[in-house]
Amino acid sequence: MMALRRDAKWWGWGDPAVEPALDAEALGVLQERIGEMEPWPLARALGDIELPAAEALPRALVEAVGEANVFTSTEDRLRHSVGRGYVDLARLRNADLENAPDAVVMPADAEALRRAIDACAAEGIAIVPFGGGTSVVGGVEPLRGSHGRVISLDLAALREVSVDRRSLTARLGAGLRGPEAEAALARQGLTLGHFPQSFEYATIGGFAATRSAGQASSGYGRFDALVSSVRLQAPAGDLRTLETPHTAAGPALRELVVGSEGVLGVIPDVTVRVRPAPTARRYEAWMAESFDAGAEIVRGLAQGPGLPQVIRVSDEEETEGTLALSGPRGLGGRLFDGYLGARRRRGGALMIVGFEGDEESVARGRALSVRALRQGGAAYLGQAAGRAWEHGRYQGPYLRDTLMGMGAMVETLETSHAWSRFGELHAAVGDAIRNSLAAQATPGLVFCHLSHAYADGASLYFTFISRARRGAEIEQWAAVKRAACEAIVAHGGTITHHHAVGRDHAPYMEAEVGEVGLDVIRAAKERLDPSGIMNPGKLLPA
């Protein structure tokens, strides 16, 4: 029997021992740009938070998984009440939780999972699949829909690891966290190469359900590209695709399941493509003349000799903000400024470039990239800044906790577009965010970077920071989010490149796939989940 995981902050992100602080210079920049903030402490201690009253579960469901695998404590229900988006954390910080599961159910294996789904279907109990709980778009909020009861179905016990070394594939259980899967593969000299910012706590099942993209996806591929076959346990029965590299047998059911966000059924495991673990890594920083110039370098690499494993370009405001908030200080800062000055850089766009593989492939890939970077006018900043990014690649959510405690609104959103409209989308979404913040008298910092690139286009990842409107934090967020999403839709971008749809983006799905597309998804749901118990209120607009 496994216990539910309680190793992360109940009110924020990740390891409770990690609490990043801002130095005086960074605090000065924030005060200058967004104004004085009112501290935002936790409204209540964990033991003092009240949740909606829980409905009792039927005996059939308890017997399906075993009484020891049903959890009803306030802490366990609270930890499964929200994900880790800004709205979720604001509700936790304000002790204002309007939804909570009646219980958390953790099946011990796929057979128990099947029994649990059958029992819930028979009793009309809504099911919200739960992996790492890291959704930032409301994907794990326990909405009941038309049902009287709802459970959070925690998949942490599904931890299978089965490697086919000859085929370079591995079957991985949905409950494995990113580091756990990588550690198991590393013991056989392999890697999956999937490292999203949520890597430390997100799970294999979550990666599959949300079409996740990792920070090294330019080299290793997005998670959907890594999936060789997938299994779905739906109320109507089980669906499994063949473990084959390719098939021409009709529409790809694998693609139907990957990205389905729990609305069709539960993914207990996936078979993924793996590769030998890298023996060499090199991360370095460059400074492009501008964001547009950096994006052009990336486009040339994507359409020409090939991309490094990691390629990121921060726009001018993010570059300036990154250096101001966490850049080199003291003598190191003066030397860094002098280095840029010698190369006639007093601004520009910071680029992070990372290479992984064996020594020969790293050297070959770097030679091709360096040629393109220099031809594009970028200046080399060295490996120190690249290593700093690598070592801090998962720290962003921790810093968000610090800033929220100070009284800031901190949120991220992402999209993508073809190269021909990439610059247009960047400008439109950035302006929409700035204008919405200004209209609420909370001007802020609006950062953006290119983080995933393809031959035909690239992603844009926005971060905005402003003073929170105390007492109206969620209304403030909703106005900015709506403005940004409307700008994305108006300019033909995708409503989500890798955060998924969840609750937050569901209203924009018709713009994404069209009315007929929605009908197709609804038809699949009606066939696989005829009573509508699977993750109500997500993916599909109401």
Side-chain angles (χ1 to χ4, degrees):
M1 182 186 72
M2 284 185 62
L4 290 176
R5 287 167 164 154
R6 292 183 172 184
D7 57 345
K9 298 171 190 167
W10 66 265
W11 53 269
W13 177 267
D15 186 348
V18 179
E19 296 184 10
L22 297 175
D23 63 19
E25 186 173 338
L27 291 172
V29 170
L30 275 178
Q31 183 175 346
E32 178 185 349
R33 294 293 299 275
I34 70 176
E36 291 284 350
M37 292 180 287
E38 178 186 348
W40 190 1
L42 300 180
R44 297 181 190 173
L46 175 61
D48 296 329
I49 293 179
E50 297 180 3
L51 297 179
E55 299 289 337
L57 298 187
R59 194 66 202 165
L61 175 56
V62 175
E63 291 176 351
V65 296
E67 197 158 353
N69 295 314
V70 177
F71 304 85
T72 58
S73 75
T74 296
E75 179 172 355
D76 293 327
R77 292 178 64 215
L78 180 145
R79 285 180 175 273
H80 290 72
S81 294
V82 292
R84 284 300 178 264
Y86 175 79
V87 171
D88 302 316
L89 300 186
R91 287 173 174 162
L92 288 172
R93 192 169 286 276
N94 291 339
D96 182 20
L97 295 173
E98 58 188 22
N99 296 304
D102 294 308
V104 181
V105 174
M106 186 169 64
D109 50 36
E111 289 71 28
L113 172 59
R114 177 72 267 169
R115 294 194 298 271
I117 294 172
D118 290 344
C120 286
E123 298 283 348
I125 300 172
I127 296 174
V128 180
F130 192 98
T134 61
S135 171
V136 294
V137 292
V140 295
E141 185 173 359
L143 303 178
R144 298 167 187 266
S146 60
H147 307 283
R149 290 171 288 190
V150 59
I151 64 165
S152 179
L153 193 66
D154 194 304
L155 305 176
L158 305 183
R159 307 170 62 79
E160 174 187 5
V161 178
S162 177
V163 175
D164 180 344
R165 196 67 173 73
R166 181 171 177 81
S167 302
L168 282 182
T169 61
R171 183 178 301 157
L172 302 176
L176 290 164
R177 283 178 175 170
E180 294 167 341
E182 280 295 326
L185 294 172
R187 288 191 284 271
Q188 300 198 42
L190 300 170
T191 184
L192 181 58
H194 190 70
F195 305 107
Q197 193 173 63
S198 61
F199 171 74
E200 296 172 307
Y201 291 90
T203 60
I204 293 295
F207 295 155
T210 61
R211 304 183 77 88
S212 173
Q215 294 171 342
S217 68
S218 293
Y220 290 101
R222 302 177 318 276
F223 197 80
D224 55 317
L226 299 175
V227 174
S228 172
S229 71
V230 67
R231 183 158 60 122
L232 181 78
Q233 290 186 320
D238 289 3
L239 184 157
R240 180 193 288 275
T241 66
L242 292 176
E243 292 187 13
T244 179
H246 180 70
T247 174
L253 293 179
R254 177 174 60 192
E255 292 298 298
L256 177 68
V257 175
V258 175
S260 57
E261 301 190 31
V263 305
L264 303 180
V266 182
I267 299 172
D269 54 65
V270 294
T271 300
V272 293
R273 300 177 177 93
V274 296
R275 64 186 71 193
T279 56
R281 291 183 174 87
R282 181 184 174 104
Y283 286 80
E284 54 194 45
W286 293 71
M287 189 70 80
E289 294 176 346
S290 65
F291 183 59
D292 289 344
E296 274 300 290
I297 293 171
V298 175
R299 185 179 70 86
L301 286 168
Q303 295 176 348
L307 291 162
Q309 276 64 40
V310 172
I311 186 82
R312 298 166 67 90
V313 188
S314 294
D315 68 7
E316 289 84 353
E317 187 165 0
E318 181 169 286
T319 297
E320 179 185 356
T322 297
L323 296 177
L325 297 178
S326 59
R329 304 290 194 235
L331 175 61
R334 291 194 296 274
L335 291 173
F336 183 77
D337 289 342
Y339 185 89
L340 291 177
R343 283 151 182 78
R344 298 180 180 177
R345 291 284 190 276
R346 288 299 181 189
L350 181 65
M351 302 183 69
I352 299 296
V353 186
F355 308 92
E356 298 186 4
D358 56 35
E359 294 284 355
E360 181 181 354
S361 65
V362 166
R364 184 170 59 249
R366 182 174 186 271
L368 293 170
S369 294
V370 166
R371 183 187 311 161
L373 286 157
R374 294 199 186 283
Q375 288 176 348
Y380 179 58
L381 302 183
Q383 294 185 67
R387 286 194 297 267
W389 175 84
E390 182 188 11
H391 294 153
R393 65 197 301 183
Y394 307 125
Q395 294 302 301
Y398 289 102
L399 183 58
R400 176 183 59 178
D401 289 347
T402 298
L403 290 167
M404 288 183 69
M406 293 166 55
M409 174 173 67
V410 188
E411 179 62 304
T412 62
L413 55 89
E414 34 70 65
T415 181
S416 67
H417 216 329
W419 288 116
S420 59
R421 299 187 66 185
F422 181 79
E424 167 194 332
L425 185 64
H426 171 244
V429 177
D431 287 346
I433 295 171
R434 292 183 192 92
N435 292 340
S436 180
L437 290 171
Q440 300 181 76
T442 56
L445 299 164
V446 182
F447 300 157
C448 184
H449 61 259
L450 180 164
S451 56
H452 304 83
Y454 312 89
D456 53 344
S459 69
L460 290 163
Y461 192 100
F462 290 88
T463 301
F464 55 91
I465 307 170
S466 77
R467 175 176 53 83
R469 287 172 52 202
R470 296 302 309 280
E473 297 92 353
I474 294 177
E475 292 83 353
Q476 176 193 24
W477 166 88
V480 182
K481 179 77 172 181
R482 182 168 56 251
C485 289
E486 289 175 356
I488 288 171
V489 169
H491 291 270
T494 177
I495 199 61
T496 175
H497 174 265
H498 59 269
H499 281 172
V501 176
R503 172 203 62 213
D504 297 350
H505 295 144
Y508 304 96
M509 275 295 284
E510 184 171 350
E512 183 86 14
V513 303
E515 184 178 349
V516 173
L518 283 177
D519 288 344
V520 171
I521 299 172
R522 288 191 178 106
K525 180 171 177 62
E526 289 168 6
R527 176 63 183 87
L528 292 167
D529 177 26
S531 56
I533 63 172
M534 296 304 310
N535 212 7
K538 319 299 166 44
L539 186 63
L540 291 163

